[in-house]
Amino acid sequence: MANEIYDDLGELPAAPRVDISGPDLVLLERAARAMGAVRVEVVDGEGYVNLHFADGSVVYCWNSLIFSGDAFDLAVQLRLEVRIHAQDATAITADLKLANEPHGEDAGAATRRAITRVAGEIQN
């Protein structure tokens, strides 16, 4: 008896390529610089960037707009205040700059975007 699941593995489609839109790339670059990144390397077709720091360290596969862990780390490192309400999410810096995003059905995506947007307002 053949295993139908394993017999079809050779025919699985490749994962779709994902590019970061221009405006989102600008947001990510600004947020990365607020964290201290000196270079942001776009990984074509993967939907994320690699962050390079002055001390030679590299953070691979970073995108705070889609990865909740990256957005959380960004909020913690920059000491942002995050508020999630019934209809929107807000992220606030220590000097009271804020970004507000309505979320409709996806509070997580709105919260990640608010964090990334306000992080980009911080000047290093």
Side-chain angles (χ1 to χ4, degrees):
M1 180 173 149
N3 187 329
E4 293 176 15
I5 294 173
Y6 292 112
D7 289 343
D8 291 337
L9 284 180
E11 299 173 21
L12 291 176
R17 294 184 60 81
V18 177
D19 288 316
I20 303 169
S21 71
D24 284 352
L25 184 57
V26 170
L27 284 177
L28 291 173
E29 287 177 342
R30 288 180 180 168
R33 300 230 186 267
M35 287 178 33
V38 295
R39 186 166 72 92
V40 177
E41 172 190 10
V42 177
V43 181
D44 289 334
E46 296 299 328
Y48 56 77
V49 298
N50 297 329
L51 307 181
H52 297 263
F53 294 86
D55 65 0
S57 63
V58 180
V59 173
Y60 295 98
C61 305
W62 188 84
N63 185 334
S64 58
L65 292 171
I66 60 173
F67 301 130
S68 296
D70 292 342
F72 178 78
D73 291 343
L74 185 59
V76 170
Q77 184 172 349
L78 299 176
R79 301 198 183 340
L80 303 178
E81 181 177 332
V82 179
R83 298 178 183 175
I84 304 163
H85 306 284
Q87 300 299 319
D88 61 9
T90 304
I92 306 166
T93 64
D95 62 352
L96 301 180
K97 291 179 181 144
L98 67 90
N100 183 272
E101 286 286 330
H103 58 68
E105 301 271 328
D106 195 344
T111 304
R112 291 188 300 273
R113 182 166 292 278
I115 290 168
T116 304
R117 281 183 48 215
V118 81
E121 298 295 321
I122 297 172
Q123 301 296 316
N124 272 358

